[in-house]
Amino acid sequence: MLAGEARMLVDGELVGTNSGATFDVVHPASEQVAGTATDGTVDDMERAVGAARRAFDTSDWSRDLEFRHHCLMQLHAALEADKERLRRILITEVGCPVTVTGSQIESPIAEVKHWADHGRAFEYLVDTGLHDTPLGPARRKLHYEPQGVVGAITPWNVPLYLNIAETVPALMAGNTVVLKPAQLTPWSGSELGRIVAEKTDIPAGVFNVVTSNANEVGAALSADPRVDMITFTGSTATGRAILAAAAPTVKKTLLELGGKSAHIVLDDADFNSALPLAAMMACVMSGQSCVLPSRILLPRSRYDEGLAVLQASMENFPMGDPWTPGNMQGPQISETQRRKVLGLIASGLDSGARLVTGGGVPEHLATGYYVQPTLLADVDPDSQIAQEEIFGPVLTVTPYDTDDDAVAIANNSIYGLSGEVSSADMDRAMAVATRMRTGNVSINGKSHFGIDSPFGGTRQSGLGYRNGAQGFTEYLHIKTIGMPE
């Protein structure tokens, strides 16, 4: 284990809250306290927002593109130099197995450079040519300008990645930022603040981090009239609260919320290719992923065959101590989260689902917040276990009769974040994929997710996009300027 930075970054200084209050950070694999973090207050958040507002309004940060690029390249180099420390902190906070930390360490560090270069090359003033108007020809130009002060509220499942994804493009676009990291993973935010303060020329107030164990601190950030935009990743319930808090000032909100994604396995699919990958996706990161296709839809004609493949894969999935290379499933983030997962499994059984494997706590892992890889069959599409996001290593399986039936079951959800189709026929797979009401779809395991492609949900899975050119322009607004030719 490794304790992280206990202080927060406010107006260029690494500080504790005035009372000196802290809260514990628990390692989910040992259930032991690994260290503490500063327990910031609403007053601390107000100071951070004030610093960000002043830095945006009075400094050259929003106008000096080359300086922003310089600072973010410094940040990239510093993160690269500190990546092994960051990796140990990630494993300590989250329980993420060391084997699968690449997507949570190397990938976000590389994205810092990507956004620095993307923002440097971006065309902030676009001439759209001459336009006929009742008052004669007018030339129109589009000026892309930063939103202003951006408040970023991040979750605990992939904390360093999302701390970077929600702040670095905002900074490169010329905004100032206040980051509120999740209570369970404060160090992935405070370490980022320490590195900014110690290793970069980013001016005081441009980037701030407020750690806190109190929900009202994040709520204060959402409601503050000095904040121009809120970006948030997390539960749909919290997303609704953020929308309500932002409504009085009509501030822009960028939301990546919950998911209950379906994987439609068509009757011509290669089960031995598609289903072991589906089992792996359910277990890696302990199922704590919003894009996880946790609802498996199998054709009734091959139902038992598919269940057997899934069962074998889940019963042999390597889980255990996250510090041991080779393990790919670690613990849930907390005892509260484990109880939620086990409670939803019990709800599924009560509603008529059949337990194929798992369903409880592994006997050989009595310490740590572990849950067995769990496979539930014969799941009613309308049941709680099929409708509510589990955030655990659980797959539900439901049979279907026709492609139309499968699409209807997949779309029977308030969510629309992700989805998957498996088939030997690409035309058939595309016909199904385009009918799924979701923002992103994978076909035959080919990932839709990447820094160069927009990622966002439909319905109650969110608003707006991360990644791609669209993800960068979320942090900008367009001023249309009419002028003489």
Side-chain angles (χ1 to χ4, degrees):
M1 294 192 295
L2 180 67
E5 174 58 59
R7 297 166 294 179
M8 53 190 175
L9 177 62
V10 178
D11 203 8
E13 296 185 358
L14 294 168
V15 296
T17 193
N18 287 337
S19 69
T22 62
F23 62 98
D24 292 339
V25 180
V26 176
H27 179 40
S30 69
E31 306 181 34
Q32 299 298 309
V33 174
T36 63
T38 296
D39 196 1
T41 65
V42 170
D43 286 343
D44 294 317
M45 180 59 75
E46 290 179 350
R47 288 194 300 114
V49 171
R53 183 78 264 167
R54 185 178 65 253
F56 183 81
D57 291 341
T58 66
S59 79
D60 289 334
W61 177 258
S62 65
R63 296 181 291 275
D64 196 335
L65 176 63
E66 287 303 314
F67 181 61
R68 297 200 302 270
H69 183 267
H70 159 77
C71 290
L72 291 184
M73 291 304 293
Q74 286 181 317
L75 177 60
H76 174 260
L79 290 168
E80 185 67 35
D82 262 5
K83 72 178 180 181
E84 294 311 317
R85 172 180 171 83
L86 294 169
R87 192 186 317 276
R88 289 181 61 82
I89 286 170
L90 175 75
I91 299 169
T92 300
E93 284 191 308
V94 183
C96 175
V98 64
T99 303
V100 295
T101 54
S103 63
Q104 297 207 44
I105 297 297
E106 277 81 3
S107 291
I109 291 174
E111 290 188 8
V112 175
K113 183 178 187 302
H114 168 88
W115 289 121
D117 290 342
H118 180 91
R120 190 185 201 184
F122 187 82
E123 193 172 358
Y124 294 89
L125 185 63
V126 178
D127 190 331
T128 67
L130 290 176
H131 301 259
D132 290 331
T133 81
L135 300 178
R139 181 171 298 280
R140 292 187 187 143
K141 295 186 178 183
L142 306 181
H143 191 219
Y144 288 83
E145 301 175 350
Q147 297 282 351
V149 176
V150 174
I153 303 173
T154 56
W156 45 259
N157 59 330
V158 280
L160 182 66
Y161 167 75
L162 285 167
N163 289 342
I164 286 174
E166 295 196 29
T167 65
V168 169
L171 290 168
M172 192 58 209
N175 301 281
T176 59
V177 172
V178 179
L179 168 64
K180 167 58 177 68
Q183 287 112 308
L184 292 171
T185 53
W187 293 336
S188 291
S190 58
E191 284 288 325
L192 185 58
R194 177 189 63 80
I195 291 170
V196 164
E198 296 179 351
K199 304 290 183 64
T200 79
D201 295 326
I202 293 177
V206 167
F207 183 70
N208 306 268
V209 181
V210 179
T211 58
S212 177
N213 199 34
N215 291 334
E216 58 263 27
V217 174
L221 178 62
S222 301
D224 197 307
R226 297 170 295 177
V227 174
D228 300 291
M229 175 180 175
I230 291 288
T231 172
F232 168 75
T233 300
S235 72
T236 295
T238 304
R240 295 186 192 111
I242 287 172
L243 277 173
T249 53
V250 200
K251 58 171 58 72
K252 179 172 183 178
T253 55
L254 172 58
L255 305 175
E256 180 195 327
L257 305 177
K260 190 65 179 176
S261 303
H263 180 175
I264 298 176
V265 184
L266 298 178
D267 56 13
D268 63 350
D270 181 351
F271 279 23
N272 290 319
S273 173
L275 295 181
L277 180 59
M280 182 192 76
M281 290 297 293
C283 299
V284 73
M285 290 176 57
S286 306
Q288 297 172 149
S289 169
C290 55
V291 297
L292 167 65
S294 59
R295 294 184 292 150
I296 306 297
L297 309 186
L298 291 180
R300 201 177 300 275
S301 61
R302 300 181 67 187
Y303 190 67
D304 291 340
E305 176 191 353
L307 284 176
V309 176
L310 286 169
Q311 179 180 357
S313 298
M314 296 188 82
E315 288 180 346
N316 291 284
F317 197 80
M319 69 176 299
D321 184 358
W323 301 98
T324 301
N327 284 335
M328 296 182 70
Q329 179 186 329
Q332 306 310 121
I333 187 72
S334 67
E335 177 59 23
T336 298
Q337 182 62 24
R338 176 164 68 173
R339 285 197 301 267
K340 176 189 174 185
V341 173
L342 294 174
L344 284 168
I345 293 170
S347 168
L349 297 175
D350 289 343
S351 65
R354 171 165 56 96
L355 181 64
V356 178
T357 189
V361 176
E363 292 182 1
H364 68 292
L365 294 168
T367 300
Y369 309 126
Y370 294 93
V371 173
Q372 292 173 313
T374 298
L375 182 64
L376 297 172
D378 310 337
V379 173
D380 182 342
D382 294 320
S383 64
Q384 182 187 27
I385 195 76
Q387 292 291 322
E388 187 171 329
E389 187 173 37
I390 301 171
F391 239 53
V394 181
L395 285 180
T396 68
V397 185
T398 300
Y400 70 88
D401 295 304
T402 66
D403 291 7
D404 289 347
D405 185 25
V407 171
I409 295 171
N411 289 340
N412 178 27
S413 172
I414 65 169
Y415 300 110
L417 186 58
S418 184
E420 187 163 355
V421 182
S422 293
S423 175
D425 183 335
M426 285 303 97
D427 290 339
R428 185 181 177 194
M430 275 295 295
V432 169
T434 55
R435 293 168 62 196
M436 296 174 75
R437 294 187 63 198
T438 183
N440 313 274
V441 181
S442 295
I443 295 179
N444 289 352
K446 298 302 181 182
S447 176
H448 57 72
F449 188 83
I451 190 65
D452 53 357
S453 300
F455 172 79
T458 63
R459 296 185 283 172
Q460 294 189 39
S461 283
L463 298 170
Y465 296 93
R466 303 204 191 286
N467 296 344
Q470 295 87 345
F472 186 71
T473 55
E474 291 284 3
Y475 297 98
L476 298 161
H477 68 81
I478 302 173
K479 178 184 289 179
T480 302
I481 302 171
M483 57 194 303
E485 59 177 306

